[in-house]
């Protein structure tokens, strides 16, 4: 298990030459997607047709029954934004290797991410994903579990069959990240049964550790896998992994904000959705940790009105109290703190300048989503 995130390492001296102008985040994502997508599509095509169709549906490539989904937002053969794919490709390029070196790792991480979303939607009872039915809602719970298992197995197989001398180290990297992902998911589930207040309440430090595992482990693994497959020195692999984990905590913090205040036209989910589900997210936990009348009223509301009948007025009031108690500001500050820590990790080791610049340009794009 990777050690918990700590304060950033001291920065190395910055280069005296002018850094290259990075491509925009959208251009970087598109370039990396175009490199990885053919291999990702070929991998999914290897699956049995039934789980293969569900996998394609989860990527937005088809409708139920296999009809191509060209024209749907995020559909066709885009495979989504491809954040993890881009991190893997840039990880290899940052280590001085061609981006193609990371393709097997990028595919493996993308398959694992898809697997985790399928199972996560089942565990949370989420009926929609990316403004369409989730896989379990469209096909049934049992078939969705099967599709997730198939994606998991395919990811490991893809990485095991990758060419080059560093495949074994890459599989170990992926295995460690998977262990952390499961730990994070387990903690997230256990949080649901814990009280809002009192000695057994979930603390923000516990939530941060959960977010690192559930969200950060795979982002860190993506960047580290690219460097690992490129044969990068261990300090470079570790720094990229740590940077990705910090980004994951920041990403989860922003996701929590969107779960309360996000625009449904952007998120595809109802406003105040996380409050209606009484989900223990960082804005709520930070607000409850504050000392003041808003925090006390929020605690009372969470323990009564929302637990019995989450009507619109109670939910709207809860959102107001979270903001009044400082939960929204604290969560945004947490996101930016971890972005700064990610930048420090990237600055702590020698990286190829162009790839490093693209990584740095990508970071705010990943976090500043419709806020």
């Amino acid at each position: 298990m990777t050690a918990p995130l700590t304060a950033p390492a001291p920065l190395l001296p910055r280069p005296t030459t002018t850094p290259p102008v990075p491509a925009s985040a959208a251009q970087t994502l598109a370039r990396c997607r175009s490199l990885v997508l053919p291999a990702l599509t070929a991998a999914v095509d290897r699956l049995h047709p039934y789980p293969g169709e569900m996998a394609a549906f989860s990527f937005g490539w088809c409708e139920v029954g296999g009809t191509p989904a060209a024209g749907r937002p995020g559909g066709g053969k885009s495979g989504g934004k491809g954040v993890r794919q881009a991190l893997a490709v840039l990880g290899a390029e940052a280590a001085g290797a061609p981006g193609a070196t990371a393709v097997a790792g990028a595919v493996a991480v993308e398959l694992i991410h898809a697997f985790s979303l399928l199972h996560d939607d089942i565990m949370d009872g989420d009926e929609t994903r990316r403004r369409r039915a989730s896989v379990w809602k469209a096909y049934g719970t049992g078939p969705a579990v099967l599709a997730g298992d198939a994606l998991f197995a395919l990811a490991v197989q893809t990485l095991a069959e990758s060419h080059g001398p560093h495949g074994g180290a890459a599989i170990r990297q992926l295995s460690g990240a998977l262990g952390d992902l499961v730990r994070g998911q387990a903690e997230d589930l256990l949080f649901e049964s814990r009280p809002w207040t009192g000695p057994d309440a979930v603390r923000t430090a516990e939530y941060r550790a959960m977010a690192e595992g559930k969200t950060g482990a795979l982002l860190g693994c993506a960047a580290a896998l690219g460097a690992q497959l490129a044969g990068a020195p261990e300090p470079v692999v570790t720094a990229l992994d740590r940077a990705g984990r910090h980004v994951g905590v920041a990403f989860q913090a922003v996701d929590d904000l969107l779960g309360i205040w996000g625009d449904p036209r952007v998120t595809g989910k109802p406003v105040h959705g996380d409050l209606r589900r009484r989900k223990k997210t960082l804005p709520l936990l930070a607000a409850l940790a504050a000392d003041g009348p808003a925090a006390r009223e929020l605690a009372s509301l969470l323990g009564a009105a929302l637990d019995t009948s989450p009507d619109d007025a109670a939910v709207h009031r809860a959102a107001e109290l979270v903001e009044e108690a400082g939960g929204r500001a604290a969560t945004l500050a947490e996101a930016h703190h971890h972005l700064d820590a990610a930048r420090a990790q990237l600055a702590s080791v020698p990286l190829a300048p162009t790839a490093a610049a693209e990584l740095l340009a990508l970071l705010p794009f990943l976090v500043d989503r419709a806020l």
Side-chain angles (χ1 to χ4, degrees):
M1 180 179 177
T2 303
L5 294 176
T6 56
L11 304 189
L12 293 183
R14 303 300 297 169
T16 56
T17 56
T18 303
V21 178
S24 73
Q27 289 174 327
T28 296
L29 291 170
R31 176 178 70 83
C32 296
R33 275 200 311 269
S34 67
L35 182 62
V36 175
L37 185 57
L40 178 61
T41 304
V44 172
D45 285 344
R46 298 171 64 183
L47 293 173
H48 181 283
Y50 188 36
E53 179 189 317
M54 289 184 279
F57 178 85
S58 74
F59 282 117
W61 299 345
C62 74
E63 305 290 357
V64 175
T67 304
R72 176 183 291 277
K77 281 288 183 179
S78 71
K81 293 187 290 294
V83 168
R84 290 155 192 82
Q85 301 171 35
L87 288 175
V89 170
L90 292 174
E93 293 176 345
T101 307
V103 165
V107 170
V109 169
E110 193 70 16
L111 293 171
I112 289 294
H113 178 55
F115 138 76
S116 71
L117 294 181
L118 261 67
H119 285 195
D120 192 53
D121 285 343
I122 294 169
M123 286 183 279
D124 289 347
D126 286 340
E127 297 185 357
T128 60
R129 167 72 61 181
R130 295 167 183 157
R131 296 183 294 279
R132 63 199 306 226
S134 54
V135 174
W136 75 266
K137 188 65 177 177
Y139 290 88
T141 301
V145 171
L146 175 66
D149 292 345
L151 287 165
F152 183 102
L154 182 61
V156 176
Q157 182 181 8
T158 298
L159 199 53
E161 293 176 352
S162 63
H163 301 293
H166 307 292
I171 290 176
R172 288 191 293 275
Q173 187 80 35
L174 181 64
S175 298
L178 284 169
D180 288 344
L181 188 155
V182 170
R183 290 184 186 92
Q185 183 66 63
E187 290 300 322
D188 195 32
L189 289 173
L190 289 171
F191 287 171
E192 295 177 7
S193 61
R194 292 172 61 178
W196 289 106
T197 59
D200 294 326
V202 180
R203 307 303 175 190
T204 54
E206 294 178 277
Y207 188 87
R208 189 179 300 116
M210 179 280 295
E212 183 196 338
K214 182 180 176 180
T215 306
L218 206 54
L219 287 169
C221 179
L225 269 184
Q228 193 96 61
L229 290 168
E234 189 58 34
V236 171
V237 175
T238 299
L240 288 169
D241 177 66
R242 306 295 280 182
R245 286 170 179 265
H246 280 294
V247 171
V249 178
F251 188 95
Q252 186 62 57
V254 172
D255 206 53
D256 288 351
L257 291 172
L258 294 175
I260 299 178
W261 295 285
D263 184 343
R265 294 170 296 180
V266 176
T267 66
K269 298 180 180 181
V271 67
H272 300 158
D274 281 353
L275 281 174
R276 294 177 189 279
R277 293 169 51 203
R278 301 182 300 282
K279 188 173 178 63
K280 292 182 176 69
T281 60
L282 188 57
L284 269 171
L285 298 177
L288 290 169
D291 183 21
R296 290 191 290 271
E297 183 182 344
L298 177 63
S300 177
L301 189 60
L302 290 169
L306 289 188
D307 281 340
T308 56
S309 177
D311 59 78
D312 287 344
V315 170
H316 181 75
R317 179 56 180 160
E320 289 180 337
L321 290 168
V322 171
E323 183 154 15
E324 186 178 336
R328 184 171 186 165
T331 301
L332 192 58
E334 179 86 6
H336 286 292
H337 164 75
H338 283 281
L339 271 188
D340 288 342
R343 294 185 183 101
Q345 287 292 335
L346 295 176
S348 70
V349 291
L351 301 174
T354 298
E358 287 191 76
L359 280 167
L360 289 169
L362 198 58
L363 296 186
F365 176 86
L366 300 181
V367 173
D368 294 337
R369 297 170 288 148
L371 287 181

